[in-house]
Amino acid sequence: MTETNNLSAENEAVSLQEENDQRQMRSEHLAALYAAHKHPYGQAFARTCSIAEMVDKYQALEPGEEKAEDILHLAGRINSRRGHGKVMFMDLIDRSGRVQLYFKINTLGEENYKMLELVDLIDMVTVTGYPFRTKRGELSLHVTAWEVAAKALQPPPAKFHGLKDVEVRYRQRYADLLSNGDVREVFIKRSRIISSIRRYLDAQGYLEVETPILSLVAGGAAARPFITFHNALNAEMYLRIATELHLKRCIVGGLEKVYEIGRIFRNEGIDTTHNPEFTTIELYEAWSDYEGMMNITEGIIDNACREVLGQHTVTINGTEINLKPPYARRTMDSLLQEYANISIAELRQPGRAREKALELGVKLGDREFTLAHYIDKIFEATCEEHLVQPTFVIDYPIELSPLAKQREDDPSMTYRFELFVNCHELANAFSELNDPREQLKRFEAQQAQRDLDEEAHPIDMDFIRALEYGMPPTGGMGMGIDRLVMLLAAQDSIRDVLLFPTMKAIKSLDN
């Protein structure tokens, strides 16, 4: 074991020395460029096209054929280099793809050709030239002029063509994006998914609005907030844990159909599906209900599948998931009876919920929990693993739903659903409670449980005042954008769909 550790330390020392040597060499190349009056951090450059557009336009060229009359201007990063004597080849990459660059001493002149020795891997360059296909069949650009546009002083990440170290990947996402084309594709896909949601909702007549990130009351969800302090107001403020209550105020004000895609902050743990800051979409529609929200939820996912994936199936860890609507519907009570062998009515019996949780091995510690907490934990432990294909879990108990409207046929239950896919909650929706007196009563009941549940909803009297102006019957839905991207991009961890996930602090950037 000692020999292995020593060898590891020795290899690490060699690696660090190699990196230091690389940095030194690159600094020398930088100085040489300056000495030759070649400014290594250039100006704006008008590209003729992207690399992918070039490849598409000239794919019909035959081996040995050239288009010397078509002068192209490309820009990107050097991905590889090879050559000898009077000819050199480099690969140029941009966001769209890769193309081979062909440098010839007779074309560039001896001095300009020799300067290519100062070009290193991952340098940013601009090139001018014409397309041709080599006799071996490689589409290339015959370079007639070139410049370094941004000299890279850092060497390429270890394993440049496929960086695997997750610590480096998440902490230095720029290195990850440089090294892994599939990672770049995930974040391109994320952007397109969000754009597809906007297009879909805009076409349905929704208005995109913005609501405060800082607030005097952290409401709209059961979650622990981040607390900050506003010096000018001399007041504690909270980063928002949801956009719900402000968006409902917009409904009261007559905007009727609104949505917001924005960052949410919750001072909670980190795991494969949770990050302290994450992105959601919340939307609210006057004169709708949770049935209407099921339709809009299916529509959002259906549209994203068609526009971004071109199909409705995704395969995650060998399991094929079909996202084509309509989705299955199951009541929470029926699922608990099937998989936990207990009903919600039974769980409401004094002491029974805790007894059942202990029987199932749910970790509770020494503290007491609210009934809502027990039901939630029991459902999570017994039912969620069975919800692989898209399933609307409907009709939640009132204890779990302080902002949802009660069912007329059973006031102990609410008009609420959560959409589960691949064993995880993806969306949450209600027929929104719009009775101000009932809402105040629910807030007060939550406030009374703060000793048992620090995440219990606080009383927001301004929201009550807004409801007193009259909010029409309304459907509301919230969906986790990060989890939707995880699903459509077939990723197992939320960190793989967040460009810059929250990480534990380290002492030095070199660690």
Side-chain angles (χ1 to χ4, degrees):
M1 180 64 72
T2 302
E3 290 179 359
T4 303
N5 287 340
N6 289 340
L7 182 61
S8 175
E10 183 180 330
N11 289 339
E12 185 176 346
V14 169
S15 177
L16 287 173
Q17 184 59 51
E18 288 175 351
E19 285 189 22
N20 290 333
D21 291 345
Q22 273 276 326
R23 291 190 186 97
Q24 178 63 33
M25 181 189 70
R26 287 164 181 266
S27 294
E28 291 169 359
H29 287 174
L30 177 70
L33 285 167
Y34 275 121
H37 305 290
K38 296 275 190 180
H39 198 294
Y41 298 101
Q43 305 299 324
F45 182 78
R47 292 186 289 181
T48 308
C49 58
S50 70
I51 290 173
E53 288 168 339
M54 173 195 164
V55 171
D56 183 62
K57 183 175 181 179
Y58 296 101
Q59 62 180 333
L61 287 180
E62 297 290 338
E65 185 181 1
E66 64 180 37
K67 285 283 186 180
E69 68 277 14
D70 290 0
I71 301 301
L72 303 180
H73 305 285
L74 303 179
R77 193 180 293 276
I78 297 301
N79 192 50
S80 69
R81 55 177 295 156
R82 57 211 174 273
H84 52 85
K86 298 180 180 182
V87 172
M88 184 177 295
F89 296 92
M90 298 186 191
D91 285 346
L92 184 74
I93 58 171
D94 66 9
R95 195 183 82 178
S96 69
R98 180 198 69 84
V99 71
Q100 178 174 266
L101 302 179
Y102 173 74
F103 302 90
K104 192 174 182 181
I105 192 169
N106 292 345
T107 302
L108 296 173
E110 187 173 343
E111 183 179 348
N112 205 9
Y113 183 81
K114 187 173 177 57
M115 295 291 291
L116 289 170
E117 295 175 3
L118 305 179
V119 177
D120 299 301
L121 286 183
I122 73 172
D123 282 358
M124 303 292 293
V125 301
T126 61
V127 292
T128 298
Y130 58 86
F132 77 105
R133 193 174 292 279
T134 66
K135 291 180 180 180
R136 293 186 177 183
E138 178 83 9
L139 182 63
S140 306
L141 186 80
H142 188 136
V143 178
T144 57
W146 65 274
E147 296 286 346
V148 174
K151 183 67 183 171
L153 298 179
Q154 289 280 353
K159 299 182 180 178
F160 176 43
H161 300 286
L163 179 64
K164 302 298 182 186
D165 188 316
V166 292
E167 277 292 307
V168 177
R169 289 186 56 228
Y170 297 149
R171 291 186 187 279
Q172 300 177 28
R173 183 67 85 184
Y174 42 86
D176 187 25
L177 292 168
L178 275 177
S179 303
N180 296 315
D182 55 342
V183 173
R184 291 195 296 275
E185 284 303 312
V186 167
F187 290 103
I188 291 169
K189 189 171 290 183
R190 179 188 176 104
S191 178
R192 290 174 176 166
I193 289 168
I194 294 172
S195 294
S196 78
I197 294 171
R198 283 195 166 98
R199 280 192 296 272
Y200 179 78
L201 291 176
D202 291 348
Q204 302 293 319
Y206 278 80
L207 299 173
E208 184 172 9
V209 299
E210 295 177 311
T211 63
I213 290 175
L214 285 174
S215 182
L216 293 170
V217 179
R224 182 188 300 172
F226 285 95
I227 305 172
T228 186
F229 191 83
H230 194 296
N231 292 332
L233 294 179
N234 192 34
E236 265 191 357
M237 298 193 79
Y238 304 91
L239 295 181
R240 69 185 179 193
I241 57 174
T243 55
E244 178 166 348
L245 300 188
H246 281 101
L247 290 173
K248 287 182 184 177
R249 288 172 169 94
C250 294
I251 298 295
V252 171
L255 295 183
E256 293 195 347
K257 298 171 80 170
V258 296
Y259 74 93
E260 181 171 12
I261 298 174
R263 214 65 161 170
I264 300 299
F265 307 87
R266 296 182 182 177
N267 197 352
E268 299 170 348
I270 298 174
D271 59 30
T272 56
T273 58
H274 294 88
N275 193 70
E277 56 175 314
F278 56 97
T279 303
T280 66
I281 177 170
E282 287 200 42
L283 60 89
Y284 294 85
E285 181 175 344
W287 311 108
S288 186
D289 59 10
Y290 85 144
E291 292 276 355
M293 292 301 100
M294 288 188 208
N295 295 334
I296 205 81
T297 301
E298 289 178 335
I300 286 171
I301 298 171
D302 176 52
N303 187 64
C305 286
R306 287 187 291 104
E307 287 194 1
V308 180
L309 302 185
Q311 62 184 39
H312 285 85
T313 56
V314 293
T315 301
I316 301 176
N317 296 326
T319 300
E320 184 175 276
I321 298 172
N322 188 346
L323 297 169
K324 182 73 175 176
Y327 301 152
R329 300 185 183 191
R330 294 288 306 273
T331 66
M332 176 178 257
D333 193 50
S334 69
L335 288 167
L336 283 167
Q337 290 189 54
E338 180 175 353
Y339 297 115
N341 196 31
I342 197 167
S343 67
I344 290 174
E346 273 189 88
L347 289 172
R348 285 185 171 126
Q349 296 172 7
R352 186 69 179 101
R354 180 173 177 80
E355 181 182 284
K356 185 66 177 179
L358 291 170
E359 175 189 321
L360 292 168
V362 175
K363 294 181 180 179
L364 301 175
D366 297 329
R367 57 174 290 193
E368 267 298 331
F369 290 103
T370 63
L371 175 59
H373 211 105
Y374 284 125
I375 295 174
D376 188 46
K377 290 295 184 183
I378 290 168
F379 183 84
E380 180 183 330
T382 59
C383 301
E384 291 185 7
E385 64 182 298
H386 301 284
L387 303 175
V388 178
Q389 299 301 324
T391 304
F392 287 119
V393 179
I394 63 174
D395 300 352
Y396 276 61
I398 193 170
E399 292 88 350
L400 277 170
S401 313
L403 297 166
K405 186 171 286 189
Q406 292 166 275
R407 290 192 64 89
E408 293 179 352
D409 56 350
D410 184 356
S412 72
M413 307 297 284
T414 62
Y415 294 109
R416 175 187 176 185
F417 75 75
E418 288 187 327
L419 174 62
F420 283 84
V421 188
N422 192 34
C423 310
H424 298 298
E425 177 204 343
L426 181 61
N428 180 30
F430 312 144
S431 294
E432 302 295 337
L433 180 60
N434 62 338
D435 179 343
R437 295 167 302 175
E438 175 62 23
Q439 183 63 82
L440 179 59
K441 189 187 303 181
R442 303 254 197 109
F443 279 165
E444 289 172 341
Q446 288 270 303
Q447 189 68 27
Q449 295 180 337
R450 296 286 282 186
D451 289 342
L452 292 180
D453 185 4
E454 60 185 9
E455 297 179 352
H457 208 293
I459 298 176
D460 186 337
M461 288 307 300
D462 182 71
F463 178 65
I464 299 298
R465 184 185 302 113
L467 291 182
E468 287 175 345
Y469 278 90
M471 185 175 83
T474 296
M477 187 274 287
M479 179 184 293
I481 295 292
D482 310 306
R483 292 189 183 182
L484 179 62
V485 177
M486 285 174 63
L487 177 65
L488 298 188
Q491 299 297 307
D492 291 325
S493 172
I494 193 171
R495 291 184 174 189
D496 291 322
V497 300
L498 294 173
L499 273 170
F500 305 103
T502 303
M503 301 288 288
K504 184 178 180 180
I506 54 176
K507 294 179 180 179
S508 167
L509 286 175
D510 293 329
N511 287 348

